[in-house]
Amino acid sequence: MNQAKTKIKNFISRFITIHDLQEDEDIFNLGFVNSMFAMQLVLFLEQEFQINIENEDLDFDNFRTINAMASFLDRKLSKTFNYH
């Protein structure tokens, strides 16, 4: 999961250059996320981690922090591997 956190932080850091984002900081409450960036973030997660993010996954709580995204990925990937 640490590798996932690193990839997520590196991606976000390309867009948020004025703040050293910590793993537990809420990117929505900090005002760093607009609708376009939210879509880019979802697309990045899908492509980088080879997952499909469904409508029911689009809960802010899954994307608020780096830790939340890593936990979400862990849940999605474990579901994917359990089906095979």
Side-chain angles (χ1 to χ4, degrees), residues 6-46:
T6 300
K7 288 181 178 185
I8 294 166
K9 184 171 183 173
N10 288 342
F11 175 78
I12 294 172
S13 294
R14 291 180 9 215
F15 298 91
I16 302 171
T17 58
I18 59 170
H19 181 77
D20 182 22
L21 187 66
Q22 301 304 304
E23 293 180 354
D24 60 349
E25 286 186 295
D26 188 325
I27 60 175
F28 292 94
N29 284 341
L30 290 171
F32 291 135
V33 178
N34 60 28
S35 58
M36 182 61 75
F37 181 70
M39 294 301 297
Q40 289 174 306
L41 183 57
V42 168
L43 186 60
F44 163 76
L45 293 172
E46 285 184 322

Side-chain angles (χ1 to χ4, degrees), residues 33-80:
V33 178
N34 60 28
S35 58
M36 182 61 75
F37 181 70
M39 294 301 297
Q40 289 174 306
L41 183 57
V42 168
L43 186 60
F44 163 76
L45 293 172
E46 285 184 322
Q47 291 176 341
E48 182 69 32
F49 298 99
Q50 301 295 300
I51 61 170
N52 289 319
I53 296 177
E54 310 295 334
N55 285 340
E56 60 268 13
D57 297 325
L58 296 175
D59 181 335
F60 284 124
D61 290 338
N62 288 332
F63 304 97
R64 286 192 182 281
T65 68
I66 293 170
N67 287 337
M69 287 181 256
S71 294
F72 167 71
L73 285 170
D74 193 41
R75 291 191 306 275
K76 286 295 280 189
L77 291 170
S78 67
K79 276 185 185 178
T80 301

